[in-house]
Amino acid sequence: MSGAGVRARLKPALGAIALGLVIRVACGLAVGSGPSRWAAHVTRGFPEGERALFEHGAGLLLELLQRRQLELRLLPTAPIVALLGGAMALVSFGALVASLERPTSLPSALVRAGRRIGSLVLTSGLGALTLSLVGLLEVMALAAALGAASTRVVLAAGCAALLPLAAVACLVDVLRAAAVLAPDGGAAPFRVAFGVARRELPSLTLSYLAAVFVELLAALLGAIVVASLLFGSTLAAAGAALAALVALVIMALARAWFLAAVVKRIENVVLHRPTNLSYVSAPPSADLPR
Amino acid sequence: MSRRPRRARSERGASGWGQLTAVVIGGAASWGAVALGELSVGALDPALSPADAGPQGDDVAEQALVGVDDARTVASYSLEASLDPHAHVITAHGSMVLTNFTSQPLDHVYLHLYMNAFEHDRTVFRRRSGQGMRGDDGVSVDGFVDVESLTWREARSGELLPEHAHTPGDPEDRTDVRVALPRAIAPGERATFDVRFRTQLPPIVLRAGYAGSFNMVAQWFPKLAKLEEDGHFAHFPYERFGEFYSDYGDYDVTIQVPEGFEVGATGALVSDDRSGDRRTLRFSARAIGDFAFAAWDGFAEATRDAHGVAIRCLFPRGQEGAAAIQLDAAAAGLAFYNRELGPYPYTHLTIVHPPPDAQEAGGMEYPTLFTTGEPPFVGLLPLRPRTLELVTLHELGHQWFYGILGSNENQHPFLDEGLTSYVTERALTEIYGEGGLLPGLPFAVSLAELERAAQLGAHSRAPVAARVSDFPTGGDYTRLVYSRAATIMRSLDGAYDGAGRRAVARFARAHRFGHPGPEDLLRAVREVAGEDAEKQLRTALFERGSVDFVVTAIDNSRDGERVRRDVTLERRGALELPVVVALHGQGGRVERVSWDGKGSSTTLTTYGDEPLVAAVIDPERALPLDESRANDAFNLAPRALAPRTLLLAAFASTLVVHAVLP
């Protein structure tokens, strides 16, 4: 997809992209608030506040971890956050896919995604299960190789193992996108997804890897900047917050770029759309495969 | 021996957090060309001469330090061994020369036959599980040493080893056997024992054994127990947690291996003859206490000369980067330890980095040789912990605490592992910085604080100064012997102006090629820091002494124009260590006052223009023995928020959420 094509698809979807980002950040804050309250609590006696945890070789932090003094009541109920966050993220994912497929208002896209929540949950669940199994098998194989192989061989094997994992992850995203775009529930998303996979999986996997590379790079650079600034002055800490936000925005855009490619493949391959690179409005649902 | 970390690989480290420079691969020829013989102190790098005052002052630095030429050699060995690296069998013969330096006639000797620890599952070693200590509990039982002949040359004796010799009081164990002599060895007499034996290595466990064609040949020959001054032998069975104790002696060992195998061994290479499909290497060393070697056909080699020492690293092919890290760490470590503990007295040092499937051989020290290694995944981590540097520095430190000082590792393991851990922490910090172990984190996590955290509460389990068999579990052993001993020494530094550092420096210089015990260390502490410091150390080592300081209250009251500020402190535990308290005024001013730590509580009263808002005990964290730092501070106006923690946790969580959620 050309740059113009990408922009054409992403521009109407900015609202959905922002929503996804907000949901992720909200989930992160919900999870992070627990450690934050815990840190304030355990360092309440120290004039330097939370810095006491990390100064002098992080001795106080290590002591508390060693004693398992984590004050669990102050920690967030992670399962609830995961459940709520997951549900909201699914809806925002659906809204993003819908927005990438045709220009629409965010509420309309949310409504469309909401109607597909059942299919989204089903395909996401199956996808997560499949990914976990594939990932587990690959980790086990790599772990078995660790004992006997050289670091170079293990590194090469690890890189090679990423390909099938990326292909499966890519297929899962295609399936979820199809769950939103296919007119019916039931088997329709699977037919659409496998139709795309049959003809476009290699190129989509490459797109997926490219997006993941950008996301990892942004995350790594963001983490480095955050780490180097966070425990400096207040101004530096504010810079760390800004760097974190920028990294997250880049990651969200990279993911949206990949989903735009997925939506385009679904249109072009399954719906037999013309392959021009500009945005094409969706056909009536009667044209969709059943 | 390095511990767990090795898993965490500790024993190694990267500590290395630092890194490399040129790597010289191959070079067997140049290695073979290295001059033999050991240096006495004066021949070392001028930078290490007495002109270097060392850490504790001129009095110690100017002592005439003992070198290999001055060491008392009691038990010397001359062995010819042939290794079948595929059957993992060593066939050997040679002689052991025991000099009776005592005033007592010796009508018997004790022999350690360590490899018999693996001959069945009822040996002392096998009866005890690791329980937190390194080593696979599923130890193989096919290792043994079979002494085919043992005779006394001067006495023209017959076979000396009884047919059913076993460890005294334990018929199931044959790692410590008594050998009666046909006549006594007179005081001053040298007795030459001719020996022929065959050793079968087990699959690698803890320190020795094989993995594929890699053979770590240690604890492999019949070894005379340490002869003490009073004429008795310090002997003990091979215990899982315990290590060794030996007299110094001269070793001359010839090793035959198939062509294609590289050998790293104790001492210096004297000759390297290749004939047909066999390779014969001869190693020699003076004034050492043990001999080990590794043989493998997968080794590559890198070398470095540093501070007058030829350092040789044998490592799995393809791991040149790891070899460079180890050479860098060893070179930097030599400089540090030479300065702090007195010069390394040998000309050679060999580092053996075992292959990935022989990690159990890693993290172990032998004279002039040590093993390293790290789990393969460590090298793949984006933020690589310096575990390889850590294990290198730790095992290098053992060249002093066990190697040059020769303490009884079975009776007083803290004297080698504890002091080595202590100096390793300092070496790592000096070379790589406080957070050098885990570089890349937003805050520094120091090895010393990791050690401190590991030992919290351990004093309730056993004294630090216990013998190996007295520790309830392997976890207790590592927490007390490694971590708590090091933490105690660091607390001496904090409480008595660097007393730990100065005392260890004095101890290390005063007992070179001696066999010091705990009292010698206590004496060194008394000499540098006084009787109170010695008393506290004794309590901490022998009596499970602990300390926990607490700030319990701050009270401000008007006293005329001034404010009277009362800070109430408590001290729990038997250790009475002096401590500094920081008093934080309302306007931001910080005053420091001291408490001698005597008594179980005190109220510090000061007067000032402003009331106090907070008080912090030991603000510089100079007393890591303090059991809890969470109660070290009291604040009348605590902060309600931890924004940095929130940002850090939220960002990390969001990254995870981004990866997990659709």
Side-chain angles (χ1 to χ4, degrees):
Chain A
M1 210 165 16
S2 71
V6 170
R7 283 194 296 274
R9 283 193 179 270
L10 291 186
K11 195 173 178 182
L14 285 179
I17 294 171
L19 178 64
L21 181 60
V22 167
I23 289 173
R24 285 170 165 74
V25 171
C27 287
L29 285 171
V31 174
S33 67
S36 174
R37 280 181 293 155
W38 171 77
H41 174 72
V42 297
T43 60
R44 63 192 180 281
F46 291 87
E48 65 268 44
E50 63 184 321
R51 287 172 185 266
L53 282 174
F54 309 106
E55 291 176 343
H56 301 288
L60 180 56
L61 178 63
L62 293 171
E63 172 187 319
L64 295 168
L65 291 174
Q66 170 72 11
R67 295 186 186 282
R68 295 173 175 78
Q69 291 180 346
L70 295 179
E71 297 280 353
L72 292 179
R73 63 186 174 83
L74 290 174
L75 290 175
T77 50
I80 295 175
V81 171
L83 206 61
L84 289 175
M88 288 191 293
L90 272 183
V91 174
S92 80
F93 173 87
L96 175 57
V97 170
S99 299
L100 289 169
E101 194 245 354
R102 79 172 67 142
T104 182
S105 67
L106 182 57
S108 301
L110 286 170
V111 169
R112 188 175 172 195
R115 288 179 182 148
R116 295 295 179 179
I117 191 67
S119 291
L120 273 172
V121 169
L122 176 67
T123 53
S124 295
L126 285 174
L129 190 62
T130 308
L131 268 175
S132 301
L133 284 174
V134 173
L136 183 64
L137 288 173
E138 292 194 338
V139 167
M140 288 171 63
L142 281 175
L146 276 178
S150 70
T151 302
R152 199 170 294 174
V153 171
V154 172
L155 194 59
C159 289
L162 284 179
L163 281 177
L165 200 62
V168 174
C170 177
L171 188 58
V172 169
D173 274 343
V174 172
L175 183 61
R176 287 195 292 219
V180 177
L181 299 180
D184 297 328
F190 294 92
R191 284 199 302 273
V192 171
F194 287 113
V196 170
R198 197 170 56 243
R199 298 173 58 177
E200 297 280 358
L201 189 58
S203 64
L204 271 180
T205 300
L206 289 178
S207 298
Y208 180 85
L209 285 172
V212 167
F213 177 76
V214 171
E215 291 173 61
L216 286 177
L217 195 61
L220 183 62
L221 292 177
I224 290 172
V225 174
V226 168
S228 56
L229 294 179
L230 188 58
F231 292 90
S233 65
T234 303
L235 191 61
L242 183 62
L245 188 60
V246 169
L248 294 173
V249 167
I250 293 173
M251 294 167 71
L253 288 174
R255 178 140 184 80
W257 171 81
F258 166 69
L259 289 175
V262 169
V263 170
K264 180 174 182 292
R265 297 304 200 286
I266 291 176
E267 290 175 357
N268 289 348
V269 175
V270 179
L271 306 182
H272 306 294
R273 290 290 185 70
T275 56
N276 64 353
L277 299 176
S278 60
Y279 172 75
V280 178
S281 62
S285 59
D287 291 344
L288 292 168
R290 291 179 184 273
Chain B
M1 181 170 194
S2 302
R3 69 202 118 193
R4 75 276 137 144
R6 136 208 289 308
R7 311 275 48 65
R9 216 76 184 331
S10 43
E11 299 211 349
R12 99 279 314 322
S15 309
W17 329 23
Q19 328 313 8
L20 343 178
T21 53
V23 181
V24 181
I25 308 291
S30 61
W31 174 253
V34 172
L36 299 176
E38 316 297 352
L39 290 178
S40 57
V41 171
L44 287 169
D45 187 333
L48 307 173
S49 70
D52 178 357
Q56 69 306 304
D58 292 342
D59 54 339
V60 173
E62 291 173 359
Q63 289 174 359
L65 300 183
V66 176
V68 293
D69 292 336
D70 312 307
R72 182 172 66 192
T73 54
V74 176
S76 295
Y77 297 77
S78 177
L79 300 171
E80 291 185 25
S82 176
L83 169 68
D84 180 339
H86 304 295
H88 318 294
V89 171
I90 303 104
T91 306
H93 66 275
S95 61
M96 309 181 286
V97 178
L98 175 67
T99 301
N100 181 7
F101 67 90
T102 75
S103 59
Q104 304 297 318
L106 307 173
D107 62 2
H108 67 276
V109 297
Y110 274 90
L111 271 187
H112 287 305
L113 304 175
Y114 292 123
M115 206 48 71
N116 285 338
F118 308 108
E119 63 178 340
H120 56 70
D121 61 4
R122 299 177 304 283
T123 64
V124 170
F125 187 104
R126 292 279 290 130
R127 291 200 297 260
R128 190 162 198 186
S129 71
Q131 292 180 297
M133 177 65 176
R134 60 185 288 187
D136 181 4
D137 284 348
V139 176
S140 174
V141 294
D142 57 2
F144 60 83
V145 52
D146 179 16
V147 180
E148 297 166 343
S149 175
L150 176 67
T151 58
W152 180 3
R153 187 184 300 173
E154 289 84 1
R156 294 185 174 79
S157 78
E159 290 300 330
L160 294 175
L161 196 65
E163 188 172 350
H164 300 292
H166 58 75
T167 298
D170 193 337
E172 299 283 16
D173 191 275
R174 298 197 306 136
T175 62
D176 175 24
V177 299
R178 184 180 190 276
V179 177
L181 302 177
R183 67 168 174 82
I185 306 172
E189 182 181 3
R190 286 158 54 97
T192 305
F193 297 97
D194 293 309
V195 63
R196 189 172 68 247
F197 61 95
R198 176 172 166 268
T199 298
Q200 169 70 60
L201 296 176
I204 207 139
V205 53
L206 266 182
R207 307 174 178 94
Y210 68 85
S213 59
F214 172 81
N215 292 267
M216 186 67 229
V217 186
Q219 298 89 48
W220 58 286
F221 61 94
K223 193 173 176 190
L224 291 161
K226 167 81 174 68
L227 178 59
E228 298 287 50
E229 300 283 343
D230 61 2
H232 87 273
F233 286 90
H235 63 96
F236 40 80
Y238 188 11
E239 300 187 57
R240 180 181 284 268
F241 303 153
E243 293 181 329
F244 313 105
Y245 183 38
S246 311
D247 274 310
Y248 290 101
D250 298 336
Y251 284 64
D252 186 336
V253 180
T254 300
I255 302 165
Q256 195 175 78
V257 294
E259 182 62 53
F261 273 74
E262 192 56 74
V263 176
T266 297
L269 183 63
V270 177
S271 63
D272 183 358
D273 299 324
R274 297 168 192 261
S275 173
D277 61 350
R278 303 296 287 177
R279 184 178 180 192
T280 304
L281 307 99
R282 183 178 163 213
F283 293 89
S284 174
R286 297 175 55 199
I288 59 171
D290 199 357
F291 188 97
F293 67 95
W296 190 33
D297 54 2
F299 274 136
E301 179 186 55
T303 60
R304 174 94 45 93
D305 288 331
H307 311 293
V309 179
I311 310 173
R312 180 195 194 203
C313 180
L314 295 177
F315 58 94
R317 290 176 193 137
Q319 297 201 25
E320 287 77 10
I325 287 172
Q326 293 167 78
L327 288 172
D328 281 350
L334 274 174
F336 177 85
Y337 293 134
N338 281 338
R339 186 192 75 215
E340 294 288 320
L341 307 175
Y344 180 77
Y346 307 104
T347 55
H348 293 78
L349 178 67
T350 299
I351 304 171
V352 173
H353 183 160
D357 56 349
Q359 292 293 303
E360 277 293 307
M364 181 60 195
E365 69 280 5
Y366 301 97
T368 76
L369 177 148
F370 59 82
T371 61
T372 58
E374 71 181 352
F377 69 85
V378 173
L380 305 176
L381 298 176
L383 296 176
R384 178 182 169 277
R386 290 199 174 101
T387 49
L388 197 51
E389 293 90 328
L390 172 61
V391 73
T392 300
L393 289 175
H394 184 91
E395 304 312 333
L396 179 60
H398 274 307
Q399 294 302 314
W400 279 261
F401 297 117
Y402 144 84
I404 301 170
L405 272 78
S407 60
N408 186 335
E409 297 180 294
N410 184 277
Q411 196 72 25
H412 308 295
F414 83 94
L415 277 180
D416 62 296
E417 296 297 357
L419 294 185
T420 298
S421 296
Y422 169 65
V423 295
T424 302
E425 290 171 4
R426 290 171 36 216
L428 191 74
T429 301
E430 176 167 309
I431 297 169
Y432 303 107
E434 185 182 46
L437 182 62
L438 301 169
L441 294 181
F443 47 87
V445 174
S446 74
L447 175 62
E449 291 301 327
L450 285 167
E451 296 276 20
R452 174 185 177 268
Q455 58 82 50
L456 288 171
H459 61 282
S460 65
R461 302 281 295 171
V464 170
R467 50 164 294 150
V468 292
S469 57
D470 292 337
F471 293 95
T473 68
D476 295 325
Y477 172 78
T478 56
R479 293 170 67 201
L480 288 160
V481 167
Y482 289 78
S483 302
R484 189 162 181 86
T487 303
I488 288 170
M489 297 310 295
R490 228 162 38 92
S491 295
L492 281 187
D493 280 332
Y496 301 101
D497 189 25
R501 179 185 181 207
R502 290 182 287 131
V504 167
R506 176 179 291 262
F507 174 72
R509 284 171 166 80
H511 298 283
R512 291 166 68 89
F513 298 103
H515 301 279
E519 291 300 327
D520 297 305
L521 179 63
L522 289 161
R523 185 181 311 112
V525 168
R526 183 173 66 245
E527 288 168 356
V528 302
E531 292 186 357
D532 188 57
E534 180 204 3
K535 177 186 172 189
Q536 303 310 320
L537 177 60
R538 187 181 297 279
T539 303
L541 291 175
F542 289 90
E543 300 167 20
R544 309 187 189 197
S546 67
V547 67
D548 182 18
F549 290 106
V550 188
V551 190
T552 57
I554 296 176
D555 184 37
N556 296 301
S557 59
R558 273 286 159 195
D559 186 359
E561 292 299 310
R562 296 184 304 170
V563 180
R564 173 185 167 131
R565 298 95 55 94
D566 294 321
V567 177
T568 305
L569 311 174
E570 284 185 12
R571 182 189 54 76
R572 301 163 185 167
L575 292 178
E576 300 176 330
L577 298 174
V579 67
V580 171
V581 183
L583 307 178
H584 292 252
Q586 196 170 45
R589 184 189 304 168
V590 180
E591 303 167 44
R592 304 213 164 189
V593 295
S594 297
W595 179 31
D596 63 8
K598 307 299 180 188
S600 59
S601 69
T602 191
T603 297
L604 300 176
T605 300
T606 58
Y607 293 87
D609 300 331
E610 58 182 6
L612 295 180
V613 292
V616 181
I617 290 183
D618 188 22
E620 298 303 324
R621 313 291 198 273
L623 300 180
L625 268 181
D626 187 358
E627 271 295 299
S628 174
R629 283 178 175 156
N631 58 20
D632 281 359
F634 193 97
N635 197 340
L636 296 174
R639 300 183 184 198
L641 295 174
R644 287 177 170 81
T645 306
L646 176 62
L647 176 57
L648 187 64
F651 181 57
S653 303
T654 305
L655 293 182
V656 173
V657 167
H658 180 86
V660 173
L661 293 185

